[in-house]
Amino acid sequence: MLASSALSFVVLFTLTNINVSERTRELATLRVLGFYKRETVMYIYRETIILTIIGILVGFIGGYYLHQFIMSTLPPNNAMADMTLYWTNFAISTGLTLLFSFIVMLIMARKISKIDMLGALNSVD
């Protein structure tokens, strides 16, 4: 569980970091046009929240069928394991994903607030 939690955090952080890095000029433009820092941060947060919720829902469906396939294909011969999925499995994974998403958003808020507007708008792509 620790490894999957770390993987989840790293994936969320990397995708959000790439999203912010690729859109630095766009965010700087919004700030120059008069958007407040909070509005600029919420611009990215909305996307992150929506994509996180979509990812959780798709993960429920895909994870359920993947679990069924693996448990029917590779049943453990030497181990006694409960092969059913409970609602707590889904609740814990949802809670951890939302927690990691919140932590990543807090980290990215600092990065978004520190964008050098002049440097971002002067850079040549």
Side-chain angles (χ1 to χ4, degrees), residues 6-40:
L7 178 65
S8 172
F9 181 78
V10 168
V11 168
L12 282 169
F13 180 79
T14 303
L15 290 176
T16 307
N17 193 24
I18 290 170
N19 187 16
V20 170
S21 297
E22 290 289 325
R23 298 171 72 184
T24 302
R25 292 189 77 182
E26 182 180 344
L27 295 170
T29 303
L30 290 175
R31 293 281 297 135
V32 168
L33 290 175
F35 281 69
Y36 295 110
K37 286 183 181 182
R38 184 169 187 243
E39 291 173 318
T40 309

Side-chain angles (χ1 to χ4, degrees), residues 14-111:
T14 303
L15 290 176
T16 307
N17 193 24
I18 290 170
N19 187 16
V20 170
S21 297
E22 290 289 325
R23 298 171 72 184
T24 302
R25 292 189 77 182
E26 182 180 344
L27 295 170
T29 303
L30 290 175
R31 293 281 297 135
V32 168
L33 290 175
F35 281 69
Y36 295 110
K37 286 183 181 182
R38 184 169 187 243
E39 291 173 318
T40 309
V41 170
M42 286 305 295
Y43 185 71
I44 298 294
Y45 277 14
R46 276 187 220 103
E47 291 179 9
T48 304
I49 292 168
I50 290 170
L51 290 174
T52 300
I53 291 172
I54 290 171
I56 288 170
L57 295 176
V58 170
F60 282 170
I61 296 166
Y64 175 78
Y65 288 113
L66 183 62
H67 178 268
Q68 295 300 323
F69 173 74
I70 290 173
M71 288 301 159
S72 65
T73 306
L74 303 170
N77 293 330
N78 300 343
M80 299 272 302
D82 188 10
M83 295 188 205
T84 58
L85 287 174
Y86 297 104
W87 67 271
T88 54
N89 300 110
F90 294 106
I92 291 171
S93 63
T94 299
L96 286 175
T97 302
L98 291 175
L99 174 69
F100 295 149
S101 180
F102 180 72
I103 293 169
V104 166
M105 285 190 265
L106 287 176
I107 295 169
M108 286 298 133
R110 180 174 292 156
K111 182 175 181 174

